[in-house]
Amino acid sequence: MIGRESELEQLEQLYASKHFEFLVMYGRRRVGKTTILQEFSARHDVIFYSAQEKNDSLNLQDFSGTIQRYFDRQILAPFLSWEDAFSYISRRTGKEKTVLIIDEFPFMAGPNPSVKSILQHEIDHLWKDLNILLILCGSSVSFMVNDVMGYESPLYGRATATLEVLPFDYLDAALFFPKYSFEDQLVAYGILGGIPRYLNAFSSEYTIQENLEREVVRNGAFLYDEPMMLLRMELREPGVYNSILEVIARGCNKVTEIADAIHEDKSKCSKYISTLLSIRLVERRVPCGEPEGSKKTIYALTDPFYRFWYHYIFSNKSYYDLLGTKDAAAEIMDDISDFMGLAFEDICRQYLMRQARQRKLPFVPAYIGKWWGNNPVIRAQDDVDILALNKKKTEGIFCECKFTNRPMPMEEYEDLLTAAKAFPENMKKHFLFISKSGYTLPVQERAAKEGTGLLTLKNLFE
């Protein structure tokens, strides 16, 4: 299994406990939650029940069979109620650890919300004193956060641990493509993101263009309609959400811009965006160092593949069908360096965060992200690709990220130094450039004199 060591370590720690433990585990679809649970289950004797999208009585019937096979090695008869099923587990649990994993818990508690209250009653009256590890897992992030852990949920306050399973970063994602160059590994991440199921769809036996032909632009391929299918599973009105995701992918990132682009009322648009925030498809961003309530708030797609799909595939399907998969993939690849700009900024931010954890930066950042705003020196709007600030905002790392096909020229070097002038003169400033195609000789010579960091793609993998 690639990555996931920390997630498995957390499960092992809970398993080693001699007391009742209750883990709420969640994360967006395809992120690999079930794979982690299966790996854990292969190491231990567990009750593993995967709820299905069916009615309550059939889920109860299947759950009854699962726990009876575990304790009695045979299926007897379905329990008449969830109270009976959970009570049966209480009676059969001894001194040895009993592990109960319910995967896709929203499919169990959705049709019958009382399951949560019944489970809460069993925990409060019996399980809290038993050697049980309960794991509830779900792909509906909003359900797990609000309906399981939320203040109004019967299960509120019962969990002893939580685990949000996140996508891989670029470095773990690169392990899926051992035969690719550094550049191609980053482009693959820029297209697919860190979702294991998507990464497995591509193979380093083929070029990226060939993978696009086989797995994305071909009608009927796994990734051809994937975002649309998942959106339909999560939301009742995918039409407006599709429009919002498309315009964000194309560069509209403020509520007013988004509302104007899709011809919807701003307040209505804000409600739809709130829903996309709750299911982790969209995230709010403010300039690095500013409070969360900043009026400069913008919105971005959290998942690289959604950004790629809505940028290229969503509105071009008919055109690509006429063009043919080979030429469609070639046209996308001709544009990929421009598309990679934002993805590369995210990759470089991940690199700096890894460096910070390893204490390889001048300080551990309290704030890290993109900065934009007014620069009084040039009396115009300015930005910094990545800004990292210490807790007191007295020291900063200013970073520029370039994924272009030419060595970075002196003008780009000067631009970053000018942007840094928007910050106090007495701030201690460190400058860093990360460029795919290296640097011109004048930039190299000046950087050496001024102590500026110049990194290439190779450095991102060290």
Side-chain angles (χ1 to χ4, degrees):
M1 172 183 276
I2 293 175
R4 304 309 189 197
E5 291 85 3
S6 63
E7 290 87 347
L8 287 167
E9 182 182 352
Q10 182 174 351
L11 292 174
E12 291 294 343
Q13 288 175 353
L14 294 171
Y15 182 82
S17 167
K18 301 300 181 184
H19 309 287
F20 170 72
E21 300 288 354
F22 172 17
L23 172 69
V24 178
M25 181 174 172
Y26 61 99
R28 51 160 299 192
R29 297 183 192 280
R30 316 286 201 199
V31 80
K33 302 181 299 298
T34 300
T35 303
I36 294 169
L37 292 174
Q38 288 171 339
E39 174 69 22
F40 174 72
S41 299
R43 305 177 182 182
H44 306 287
D45 189 20
V46 309
I47 307 168
F48 194 118
Y49 176 66
S50 184
Q52 303 294 314
E53 201 168 7
K54 55 176 77 173
N55 67 30
D56 182 57
S57 60
L58 289 179
N59 259 321
L60 176 58
Q61 178 179 305
D62 293 346
F63 183 72
S64 300
T66 298
I67 59 177
Q68 288 169 3
R69 273 195 300 270
Y70 177 82
F71 287 111
D72 296 304
R73 308 302 174 196
Q74 61 179 323
I75 297 177
L76 305 172
F79 294 107
L80 298 178
S81 67
W82 288 104
E83 288 93 339
D84 291 342
F86 294 138
S87 176
Y88 171 78
I89 295 171
S90 303
R91 294 195 306 274
R92 299 302 301 266
T93 294
K95 292 183 179 180
E96 297 299 315
K97 175 75 71 179
T98 296
V99 181
L100 171 60
I101 300 172
I102 302 178
D103 197 10
E104 292 303 347
F105 181 68
F107 290 155
M108 176 189 286
N112 183 358
S114 68
V115 167
K116 292 176 290 182
S117 297
I118 297 166
L119 195 52
Q120 171 252 317
H121 183 273
E122 202 71 21
I123 290 170
D124 289 353
H125 290 81
L126 292 168
W127 289 9
K128 64 180 176 62
D129 298 318
L130 298 175
N131 193 7
I132 289 176
L133 168 56
L134 169 65
I135 300 174
L136 300 184
C137 182
S139 298
S140 175
V141 174
S142 57
F143 186 96
M144 299 302 290
V145 171
N146 300 321
D147 294 66
V148 176
M149 296 188 292
Y151 182 74
E152 296 183 359
S153 169
L155 292 170
Y156 174 76
R158 272 69 182 181
T160 61
T162 62
L163 173 58
E164 180 174 9
V165 181
L166 299 171
F168 289 128
D169 71 4
Y170 77 93
L171 209 51
D172 283 332
L175 299 175
F176 286 79
F177 308 108
K179 297 183 179 180
Y180 275 0
S181 65
F182 293 142
E183 179 179 341
D184 282 349
Q185 287 176 337
L186 296 183
V187 171
Y189 177 82
I191 292 171
L192 300 169
I195 299 296
R197 182 65 182 87
Y198 301 167
L199 292 164
N200 277 319
F202 276 26
S203 167
S204 55
E205 299 294 331
Y206 301 101
T207 66
I208 291 178
Q209 184 171 319
E210 289 169 340
N211 276 308
L212 286 173
E213 289 177 44
R214 296 163 59 91
E215 302 297 341
V216 182
V217 297
R218 179 176 58 82
N219 195 336
F222 165 57
L223 294 173
Y224 180 75
D225 253 341
E226 169 72 358
M228 182 77 75
M229 291 174 62
L230 291 186
L231 211 61
R232 287 172 180 154
M233 294 172 70
E234 293 278 359
L235 306 167
R236 287 178 292 181
E237 301 177 67
V240 178
Y241 292 107
N242 273 323
S243 300
I244 292 173
L245 293 170
E246 182 185 19
V247 298
I248 294 177
R250 293 189 175 277
C252 295
N253 52 27
K254 298 176 182 176
V255 173
T256 303
E257 293 176 352
I258 296 167
D260 288 345
I262 67 172
H263 309 293
E264 290 284 357
D265 180 74
K266 182 180 174 181
S267 60
K268 179 180 179 181
C269 193
S270 295
K271 291 179 182 177
Y272 281 97
I273 291 174
S274 294
T275 301
L276 291 171
L277 289 167
S278 71
I279 59 176
R280 304 294 200 271
L281 289 183
V282 168
E283 64 181 355
R284 293 177 72 255
R285 293 183 180 178
V286 299
C288 179
E290 293 205 9
E292 284 299 309
S294 170
K295 293 182 179 179
K296 299 176 185 176
T297 294
I298 63 171
Y299 295 91
L301 301 191
T302 55
D303 184 82
F305 182 65
Y306 274 68
R307 180 172 168 263
F308 172 86
W309 192 85
Y310 279 98
H311 185 88
Y312 288 109
I313 309 299
F314 179 58
S315 59
N316 287 318
K317 283 186 175 181
S318 298
Y319 168 64
Y320 287 161
D321 285 344
L322 292 173
L323 199 59
T325 57
K326 188 171 184 177
D327 287 342
E331 185 173 296
I332 291 171
M333 290 305 296
D334 286 342
D335 183 62
I336 205 69
S337 285
D338 287 340
F339 172 80
M340 279 293 295
L342 287 177
F344 191 54
E345 288 179 16
D346 186 49
I347 287 166
C348 296
R349 181 183 56 80
Q350 292 176 20
Y351 167 78
L352 288 177
M353 291 172 70
R354 277 184 177 261
Q355 294 292 101
R357 292 189 191 101
Q358 296 170 19
R359 302 298 189 269
K360 292 181 179 180
L361 296 181
F363 56 87
V364 176
Y367 312 90
I368 186 167
K370 192 177 182 72
W371 175 86
W372 60 95
N374 181 60
N375 187 336
V377 174
I378 60 173
R379 297 181 181 179
Q381 290 294 301
D382 214 340
D383 67 84
V384 177
D385 288 346
I386 306 172
L387 173 64
L389 298 171
N390 67 354
K391 202 167 186 180
K392 295 182 178 179
K393 302 181 185 177
T394 55
E395 191 171 3
I397 300 170
F398 295 76
C399 179
E400 185 77 9
C401 315
K402 293 297 174 188
F403 203 81
T404 57
N405 293 322
R406 62 187 179 93
M408 197 195 85
M410 185 62 73
E411 302 92 273
E412 303 285 358
Y413 190 103
E414 291 282 5
D415 284 346
L416 182 60
L417 269 60
T418 299
K421 291 179 181 178
F423 293 80
E425 282 188 27
N426 60 354
M427 174 186 281
K428 187 176 181 181
K429 297 171 183 175
H430 309 268
F431 295 97
L432 177 67
F433 294 87
I434 308 175
S435 171
K436 181 184 84 168
S437 302
Y439 307 87
T440 61
L441 185 58
V443 169
Q444 295 178 45
E445 292 173 345
R446 182 172 176 182
K449 289 178 183 177
E450 298 180 354
T452 298
L454 300 182
L455 304 184
T456 61
L457 300 190
K458 181 181 177 182
N459 297 111
L460 300 180
F461 291 87
E462 292 175 344

